Amino acid sequence: MKFVDTFEKHQREPYKSADAYAKERRLELGAGLLPTKKIYLDTKYWLLLRDAKLGRARDEKQVQMLALAERVSSSGRYIFPICEDIFVEVLKQTDPDTLRSTVVLIDSFSKGVSLLSGEERIRLEMFHFLETCLGSSVFCLQELVWTKVAYNLGYSSPYHDKFPKHTNTLIQKAFFDQMWSASLMDIVETMSRNGAPNFPPIRGYSERLNAGKFAHMHQNNTFNEMFLSEIAGMVDSYKADFKDLFAYKFEKQYGCPPNPDELEQSESGQLFANMIYNLFKLNKVKQELPSFRIHAGLHAAVRWDKKQKYQDNDMHDFRHATAALGYCDYFFTEKRLCHLVTQALLKYDKLFNCKTLWRVDDAVECLRTIES
């Protein structure tokens, strides 16, 4: 990894906090990406392109897809961003040659750009939704959800309690610049030297979901009821985050945090959860809160179809869909997920204006059209 030295620059800007600087860089990135079309490839397609690059393509269409993707990427008008699930799934490769080849492709096509982690996006969508409801002037979400690959699992910053505040701030901003410039290959090589993390599968998760599905399958009489039950579960799990959001708003307005006892007794989290649920119930939420809608809709679709069962990779796949549909223009994915997303009950490809494909032939034609 090339050393990036920005200490002198930040010594001249001691007034700017590390968080403010990181936000400034993300906004700069997001604004630069606004005119760029985003093509989201799930892990299947990254591996197909990798195999074509290694001369292991199963057919000529795969080779054509690689050539087209390379030309589309080099045009500067399109980008192939990743999210944390691509990062995690790619790192599961045990063959160092195939891992390296995949990472090289991702660095080339993504230009080092990633979506914020799923949890960061959900919290951002909550805050953006609240500010919009209050009539505040806010950036569009498309300017706010992008980061660099080093931060696709979330933002963190070094801190040492033996250093004075200004020294910590200086180190944090310089560290941010170092990580902001890092490629995925830099990250993977650093991790391999220091012991790559293990991402063990969550055993029995799909079985538990299926058990719950069949145990409660008679509780909802319509698909919309099923969808709303999923929304209810999601907003209930974020009540504490909603309360934190209102505490943050209080402090921003009054310059001090709310009284801890009053905050403890506050029902702001529950009230906001109720409001979001009722807005979905009244069909007042369209493209807002995309992570809530897409997650809830996909779970509801699997639960509603008596022939469907949850599969082991569904949680990764659902997060791929949430990342792609909410913020990208094209989504190349697997057959089952494509059918879930585009089926008549959801039509999320239409709602979010994200062309969703699963056949390699269709992906080739799509890229050919894009190139022309």
Side-chain angles (χ1 to χ4, degrees), residues 203-218 226 230 298-299 301-315 318 336:
R203 303 291 182 187
Y205 190 61
S206 59
E207 287 83 353
R208 291 195 296 274
L209 288 175
N210 285 321
K213 165 184 171 164
F214 292 111
H216 302 286
M217 64 187 303
H218 301 298
M226 185 78 76
E230 290 294 331
L298 290 172
H299 278 282
V302 173
R303 289 180 60 199
W304 184 248
D305 186 345
K306 294 179 174 60
K307 297 178 182 178
Q308 284 266 14
K309 285 188 177 182
Y310 283 101
Q311 299 178 8
D312 289 340
N313 215 50
D314 276 350
M315 297 307 101
F318 290 3
R336 177 171 178 268

Side-chain angles (χ1 to χ4, degrees), residues 47-267:
L47 300 186
L48 288 173
L49 292 173
R50 175 209 67 194
D51 287 347
K53 194 73 173 178
L54 291 173
R56 301 176 183 176
R58 288 174 290 185
D59 54 48
E60 183 59 27
K61 287 291 185 181
Q62 211 170 317
V63 177
Q64 292 174 16
M65 182 171 65
L66 173 63
L68 285 163
E70 287 174 333
R71 293 198 295 271
V72 166
S73 174
S74 63
S75 73
R77 296 179 291 117
Y78 296 85
I79 196 168
F80 297 74
I82 68 166
C83 75
E84 79 266 37
D85 286 275
I86 295 293
F87 177 74
V88 170
E89 289 185 299
V90 163
L91 280 184
K92 291 178 181 178
Q93 296 178 84
T94 56
D95 183 333
D97 293 330
T98 58
L99 173 60
R100 183 178 183 84
S101 182
T102 311
V103 170
V104 168
L105 272 175
I106 291 174
D107 277 334
S108 175
F109 290 176
S110 72
K111 306 296 188 288
V113 173
S114 172
L115 282 152
L116 296 174
S117 71
E119 283 299 311
E120 287 175 310
R121 292 199 310 275
I122 288 174
R123 290 182 175 86
L124 175 63
E125 290 165 11
M126 294 175 193
F127 182 72
H128 191 272
F129 183 71
L130 176 61
E131 292 292 291
T132 303
C133 289
L134 294 173
S136 304
S137 177
V138 292
F139 292 95
C140 71
L141 278 173
Q142 275 287 353
E143 290 182 87
L144 301 171
V145 296
W146 304 104
T147 188
K148 289 298 191 79
V149 291
Y151 290 108
N152 72 65
L153 292 177
Y155 173 73
S156 62
S157 196
Y159 173 82
H160 199 295
D161 58 9
K162 300 299 182 183
F163 293 154
K165 181 179 178 181
H166 71 276
T167 301
N168 268 312
T169 300
L170 174 62
I171 292 171
Q172 287 165 354
K173 290 191 286 187
F175 177 81
F176 179 89
D177 288 334
Q178 180 68 59
M179 299 308 293
W180 195 252
S181 69
S183 67
L184 186 58
M185 183 61 74
D186 290 331
I187 304 301
V188 170
E189 288 181 342
T190 301
M191 290 169 61
S192 65
R193 287 195 299 269
N194 294 280
N198 183 27
F199 298 104
I202 303 174
R203 303 291 182 187
Y205 190 61
S206 59
E207 287 83 353
R208 291 195 296 274
L209 288 175
N210 285 321
K213 165 184 171 164
F214 292 111
H216 302 286
M217 64 187 303
H218 301 298
Q219 291 182 351
N220 304 107
N221 296 318
T222 66
F223 175 74
N224 192 54
E225 288 181 8
M226 185 78 76
F227 170 74
L228 289 173
S229 75
E230 290 294 331
I231 288 290
M234 285 196 71
V235 296
D236 185 69
S237 68
Y238 281 98
K239 285 189 298 186
D241 296 279
F242 296 153
K243 182 181 284 192
D244 290 343
L245 176 57
F246 281 98
Y248 170 81
K249 288 289 295 178
F250 182 98
E251 186 168 355
K252 289 289 285 187
Q253 182 168 347
Y254 296 106
C256 62
N259 179 283
D261 292 333
E262 291 180 353
L263 182 61
E264 179 67 27
Q265 297 172 16
S266 168
E267 296 184 1

